Amino acid sequence: MNRKKILFIARWYPDRNDNMLGLFVQKHARAVQLLHDVTLIYVTADSTLKKGELIIDEQNHFGIHEIRIYFGKYKTEIRNAIEYIIKYFTALKLAKKHSGKFDLTHVHILSRTAFLAMWLKITEGIPFVITEHWSRYLPVNIPKGSYSGWLRNLFTKVAVNMASSVTTVTANLADAMQNLGLKNKYYITPNIADMGDFYPLENKKNESIKKLVHVSCFDEPAKNVKGIIDVVNQLATKRNDFIIEIVGDGKDFNEVYNYALKTNLVNSRIYFTGLLTGKELSAKMRNADAFVMFSNYENFPCTIVESFASGVPVISSDVGGISEHLKPEFGILVEAGNKVQLEHAFIKIMDEPSMFNYKMMREYAKEKFSIEQSAKLFSDIYHSAGIL
């Protein structure tokens, strides 16, 4: 198979202000880079810059040629929209200078990112595919979410119609998009984990104190970390043989931390580690007895994939596409917001660890969510777009 030149256009991507933003897009880019040459452009309005200020950051990372452009944010949406278009063309010029003509454009997360892909298809005949990660199309987020307004909806429908195909991280998200009239040929391309970073702990000891882990971006309306804290607070009145470590940072961190302080359990039952990445995060995961999520809505988070790869059972609310992969031998599903069910799940997973198949979790993760498997899957999709 000849290596092709793929242009990624990402709405979210690790940047100078948030190195966790769109990390799942970077993982997809890393997968595609195994078989093709990836150049990625990312443009964002940066509130830390003054109007008219501009930062262009061009570097190679994991073999991916990354072009990030930051511009000072304007007060009106229209002015920002114009600036996005201008900066996308600036990024495209730099991308072409580095790589020449591209064989295909791969859009990650609609809608503004599709503009440049549509332009390239019209002017140069370059096909494009779309990968969507955003939960805004799910019924729970309609109509209160950001997928609203006739102009945005019309533009999104035109973009999806012009694409050679659309991929989503779950079948649930694909169904939601099609139910909104976004019709095309859909493929499922799950989030992935680096199996070399996330792996089970050999000869794991059955410790007397059970360790639960939650990894969060602290977006409270979605992640519902306070709900987890409520259940921990209740369970702590009944038993003292567990702790929970809450990993991460984000916009609602202070709100959640202050909420936890009221329980008087911080640094005795509840521990906040701050942001962990790389080997620190993977070590924290594989040393856990269970990974916990209690989100109000999700697609299929990378953290669950990483937990499977680490051979660690998962407790999660049954939202988004999580039930597509969370089998009974891999963990426990609970109703979103149901604290009684979550407490029972805590107890079951701590008292009956043998009911979960750690080896099967790991093998399932390797089969479904490895970088190598993702690379092959995307190449097959590119083939359907006519470039291979």
Side-chain angles (χ1 to χ4, degrees):
M1 182 188 299
N2 293 327
R3 293 181 71 91
K4 299 295 183 179
K5 295 179 181 179
I6 313 297
L7 176 66
F8 268 46
I9 306 174
R11 176 159 183 168
W12 304 330
Y13 204 70
D15 67 20
R16 65 194 291 264
N17 298 310
D18 186 352
N19 63 7
M20 299 297 288
L21 178 68
L23 192 59
F24 40 79
V25 178
Q26 188 179 69
K27 290 178 179 179
H28 277 174
R30 286 177 61 187
V32 173
Q33 178 65 27
L34 291 180
L35 300 177
H36 305 286
D37 296 327
V38 177
T39 300
L40 182 142
I41 61 178
Y42 166 72
V43 175
T44 187
D46 189 329
S47 59
T48 69
L49 300 178
K50 298 178 182 178
K51 287 186 294 184
E53 277 193 285
L54 179 70
I55 294 176
I56 298 177
D57 177 21
E58 195 166 355
Q59 59 181 284
N60 283 283
H61 197 207
F62 298 114
I64 306 160
H65 190 74
E66 300 173 338
I67 300 168
R68 296 175 177 83
I69 294 184
Y70 309 86
F71 66 88
K73 193 172 185 178
Y74 290 84
K75 292 182 179 180
T76 66
E77 286 191 21
I78 293 176
R79 185 66 183 87
N80 281 316
I82 294 171
E83 202 65 23
Y84 268 109
I85 293 172
I86 294 170
K87 297 303 183 284
Y88 273 129
F89 278 104
T90 300
L92 178 62
K93 184 177 180 179
L94 293 171
K96 285 183 172 180
K97 183 178 179 181
H98 177 267
S99 302
K101 185 174 180 178
F102 293 97
D103 297 296
L104 179 131
T105 307
H106 192 152
V107 173
H108 276 263
I109 307 146
L110 296 168
S111 297
R112 71 172 72 103
T113 45
F115 177 84
L116 195 58
M118 295 161 71
W119 172 267
L120 288 170
K121 181 172 183 178
I122 292 169
T123 59
E124 300 184 31
I126 299 173
F128 71 94
V129 299
I130 296 167
T131 294
E132 188 56 273
H133 304 258
W134 206 341
S135 60
R136 65 177 175 176
Y137 306 95
L138 301 179
V140 69
N141 289 326
I142 300 293
K144 63 182 180 180
S146 55
Y147 185 66
S148 59
W150 70 269
L151 184 59
R152 176 182 283 108
N153 292 10
L154 176 62
F155 180 80
T156 303
K157 287 181 180 179
V158 172
V160 168
N161 184 259
M162 285 182 65
S164 296
S165 59
V166 179
T167 88
T168 59
V169 293
T170 64
N172 179 68
L173 181 57
D175 291 342
M177 292 179 69
Q178 292 179 89
N179 288 338
L180 291 171
L182 302 174
K183 303 296 184 180
N184 202 312
K185 187 173 184 179
Y186 280 74
Y187 298 87
I188 309 305
T189 52
N191 285 326
I192 61 180
D194 189 329
M195 298 296 150
D197 287 342
F198 293 89
Y199 54 85
L201 185 67
E202 293 186 17
N203 302 317
K204 195 169 187 177
K205 296 179 181 178
N206 187 14
E207 302 285 355
S208 57
I209 300 296
K210 302 300 182 182
K211 295 179 182 177
L212 309 176
V213 170
H214 170 73
V215 182
S216 185
C217 63
F218 287 89
D219 178 9
E220 187 57 16
K223 300 300 181 182
N224 191 21
V225 188
K226 289 181 181 179
I228 296 175
I229 291 169
D230 287 341
V231 173
V232 169
N233 191 32
Q234 178 64 28
L235 188 59
T237 65
K238 303 173 183 177
R239 55 195 295 171
N240 60 3
D241 61 342
F242 75 98
I243 65 169
I244 185 165
E245 296 178 296
I246 301 178
V247 180
D249 198 0
K251 65 183 182 67
D252 296 328
F253 176 85
N254 289 335
E255 176 187 342
V256 173
Y257 183 76
N258 290 330
Y259 187 81
L261 285 176
K262 297 175 184 177
T263 67
N264 294 317
L265 295 174
V266 174
N267 296 328
S268 60
R269 289 279 166 266
I270 302 172
Y271 294 85
F272 290 85
T273 71
L275 181 65
L276 299 179
T277 59
K279 292 182 178 180
E280 284 186 311
L281 177 60
S282 59
K284 186 69 67 178
M285 187 74 80
R286 66 177 157 268
N287 279 284
D289 293 288
F291 174 74
V292 181
M293 294 195 72
F294 197 40
S295 299
N296 293 316
Y297 55 87
E298 286 282 358
N299 285 315
F300 183 62
C302 288
T303 46
I304 290 182
V305 175
E306 292 163 352
S307 187
F308 285 175
S310 303
V312 173
V314 174
I315 300 171
S316 175
S317 47
D318 187 1
V319 293
I322 293 173
S323 63
E324 295 171 27
H325 299 285
L326 185 47
K327 303 176 181 182
E329 56 267 37
F330 296 170
I332 302 172
L333 285 167
V334 301
E335 293 177 1
N338 192 321
K339 296 175 186 177
V340 173
Q341 285 189 8
L342 184 61
E343 182 180 343
H344 289 164
F346 280 2
I347 294 169
K348 194 171 190 66
I349 217 159
M350 290 190 292
D351 291 349
E352 302 179 48
S354 61
M355 69 179 291
F356 306 104
N357 193 318
Y358 308 98
K359 290 183 179 179
M360 188 181 292
M361 261 183 262
R362 170 69 177 179
E363 290 305 311
Y364 186 82
K366 287 169 65 177
E367 178 188 346
K368 299 287 187 181
F369 311 124
S370 70
I371 290 177
E372 294 77 12
Q373 176 62 24
S374 182
K376 182 181 182 302
L377 183 56
F378 278 119
S379 270
D380 290 343
I381 293 168
Y382 296 162
H383 179 78
S384 74
I387 72 159
L388 301 177

